[in-house]
Amino acid sequence: MDKIIMEKYAEAVVKMGVNVQEGQYVHIHANVRQQEFVTKLVEECYKAKARYVITDLSGVETELKEHIPSVLICPTDIYAIKLMDLAKKHKAGIVG
């Protein structure tokens, strides 16, 4: 995909599709083949003033069906929010 088109598409997904708001936590799950696009999505989420953006990249072999989207972006659940706040408070990282 052309870089300019990719940037515009990422902006549209974040602003109009998902409508990321200031202070929101965002979770992006994508296939590793979409890493470049995911990077653009993350950039756009932070431009929209998201508080945290979590990304999960999976390998080709873990995709179950062809009809599953290669990129899934959504506001994340309250458990993940509390976990991230706790990690930040204690200057810890989250693994796995």
Side-chain angles (χ1 to χ4, degrees), residues 42-92:
V42 171
E43 290 171 3
E44 290 300 325
C45 286
Y46 282 121
K47 283 182 188 177
K49 304 195 185 295
R51 185 167 181 186
Y52 288 116
V53 180
I54 303 166
T55 59
D56 290 319
L57 296 176
S58 63
V60 176
E61 69 281 354
T62 62
E63 296 298 326
L64 301 175
K65 303 270 184 197
E66 288 183 16
H67 67 276
I68 294 175
S70 58
V71 177
L72 174 64
I73 178 172
C74 61
T76 192
D77 64 23
I78 194 70
Y79 173 77
I81 292 169
K82 289 182 180 184
L83 183 62
M84 288 184 290
D85 282 339
L86 185 63
K88 184 177 178 184
K89 178 180 176 183
H90 296 284
K91 297 181 177 144

